[in-house]
Amino acid sequence: MKRAQKIVVPPMPDPKARVLVIKHSAFGDVIMALGPMKAIRLAHPEGRITLLTTKPYAGLLEQSGLFDEIWIDERPKAWQFGKVRDMRRRLNAESFERVYDLQTSDRSSSYFRLFDRPRPLWSGIAPGCALPHANPQRDHMHTLERQAEQLAMAGITRVPAPDLGFLKADLSGFDLPGRFGLLVPGGAAHRPGKRWPAVKYAETAGLLADQGIVPMLIGTTAEAGAIDAVVAAEPRAVSLQGRTSFAEIASLARRAAIAVGNDTGPMHLIAAVGCPSLSLFSKESDPQLTRPRGPRASWLRSDRLVDLSVGEVATAIRRLLET
């Protein structure tokens, strides 16, 4: 006779617990983690919640109002014994009762071993943790579904969509036209295969301008080359390179008619605030696992982005503008 499988019910979250949330990077993943972070706050309404993150995202996540304290993780190397020791002391001094590891990397999982016994209830993939995300297919799930299931296995069953309402900025300094679109031609410099060619962005910028939609390009100094190439080829395009904060990108996206960009962090923010958005993927990343999500988010994929035609992108833009 086959023995019935034992059903493990996770302990209910304590509303007053001392909680640690771990989320280091990257930008798009941080944006998608805002829903799970809100769910954790709702599950521990009277608790003290500390976030362990990296410097680039501390200000953004502080503005969310979801955390009582934010720690910057310098991510010490294993051989930096003094810094590792300091991290261990700090973690144990806080008497955390729960840890939600939303990074689930080798590094974040290794912090589980820094806690003295009895260890806090840990949600993640650290070997031996009390609240494991025990799905062997977790790496084949989109980030949002994966984190929602992880929290469900820790007793948090309702995870809202990311809410970027706290990100607002005064746009008066941009002298915005009546109708404009956003182009995001950059991305990780070490992964050029994830970038649609600048010449095709320039042609797309021209098509938008012909429809009375002023193309505005956003990016950091790392993307200056691509942005300058687009503006040089299409003088009606406007460069905002190096001029936009996270809050300003969100506010621009709320007013934009359309946004087109590579598989890069800002597109997650743009899609999450509801802008009609088109993200372009190559074989180097899988939109089924990592695509931006939002009420009007769309995507196209070609094994090699150089083979993705302006006509295909133009058709997708037209569909977004008509909905």
Side-chain angles (χ1 to χ4, degrees):
M1 181 177 178
K2 187 176 180 180
R3 181 178 296 178
Q5 184 177 2
K6 182 180 179 181
I7 298 175
V8 179
V9 179
M12 291 298 294
D14 180 353
K16 299 180 180 181
R18 294 181 67 86
V19 173
L20 176 67
V21 176
I22 304 174
K23 188 61 190 171
H24 290 140
S25 60
F27 183 29
D29 293 330
V30 168
I31 295 300
M32 289 192 286
L34 284 167
M37 289 173 177
K38 180 66 174 292
I40 292 168
R41 168 51 74 187
L42 292 173
H44 303 280
E46 301 172 64
R48 180 170 179 80
I49 303 182
T50 299
L51 172 69
L52 182 63
T53 189
T54 49
K55 189 174 182 179
Y57 310 110
L60 167 69
L61 293 169
E62 183 178 14
Q63 291 179 66
S64 73
L66 297 173
F67 304 101
D68 299 289
E69 188 175 10
I70 294 181
W71 294 355
I72 304 300
D73 189 356
E74 297 180 0
R75 294 186 285 187
K77 306 294 185 183
W79 51 264
Q80 293 177 302
F81 303 114
K83 290 186 176 182
V84 173
R85 182 186 63 244
D86 291 343
M87 171 67 81
R88 179 171 193 151
R89 287 174 177 171
R90 191 176 194 187
L91 289 172
N92 285 288
E94 291 298 314
S95 300
F96 291 118
E97 298 161 85
R98 278 208 180 206
V99 177
Y100 296 96
D101 178 10
L102 300 181
Q103 191 67 27
T104 57
S105 64
D106 289 343
R107 167 176 291 278
S108 60
S109 294
S110 73
Y111 291 170
F112 175 71
R113 297 191 297 274
L114 296 181
F115 282 97
D116 296 335
R117 296 177 185 273
R119 295 181 172 118
L121 298 177
W122 181 290
S123 168
I125 59 171
C129 69
L131 303 172
H133 184 198
N135 183 346
Q137 299 300 312
R138 67 182 308 277
D139 291 338
H140 302 285
M141 303 171 71
H142 187 276
T143 300
L144 289 181
E145 279 74 49
R146 184 177 70 247
Q147 292 188 341
E149 186 180 81
Q150 175 187 336
L151 292 185
M153 292 183 175
I156 300 176
T157 57
R158 297 184 63 184
V159 177
D163 181 1
L164 280 296
F166 63 91
L167 273 184
K168 299 176 182 178
D170 179 7
L171 300 178
S172 59
F174 288 99
D175 191 25
L176 294 173
R179 199 169 188 225
F180 65 91
L182 298 176
L183 298 181
V184 189
H190 65 287
R191 300 185 70 182
K194 294 179 69 176
R195 293 191 180 198
W196 200 39
V199 64
K200 296 193 176 186
Y201 271 108
E203 189 174 343
T204 302
L207 293 174
L208 290 176
D210 289 344
Q211 299 177 64
I213 301 173
V214 177
M216 308 188 82
L217 293 101
I218 63 172
T220 66
T221 54
E223 285 98 31
I227 292 174
D228 290 346
V230 173
V231 174
E234 176 46 73
R236 291 174 293 178
V238 177
S239 171
L240 298 181
Q241 181 262 313
R243 295 177 54 194
T244 52
S245 66
F246 294 148
E248 287 164 338
I249 293 173
S251 296
L252 286 166
R254 291 187 184 102
R255 292 181 55 178
I258 189 74
V260 181
N262 301 324
D263 172 26
T264 186
M267 290 303 294
H268 288 272
L269 174 54
I270 289 166
V273 301
C275 178
S277 57
L278 178 66
S279 299
L280 309 179
F281 285 80
S282 73
K283 66 179 179 181
E284 294 192 21
S285 51
D286 187 348
Q288 299 297 341
L289 305 181
T290 63
R291 71 184 184 275
R293 299 280 276 268
R296 301 184 69 187
S298 186
W299 55 275
L300 290 174
R301 190 187 195 194
S302 176
D303 281 353
R304 300 193 317 153
L305 276 180
V306 69
D307 296 330
L308 182 64
S309 72
V310 173
E312 292 174 273
V313 171
T315 298
I317 289 173
R318 184 169 61 252
R319 289 171 180 165
L320 281 168
L321 291 173
E322 290 173 351
T323 57

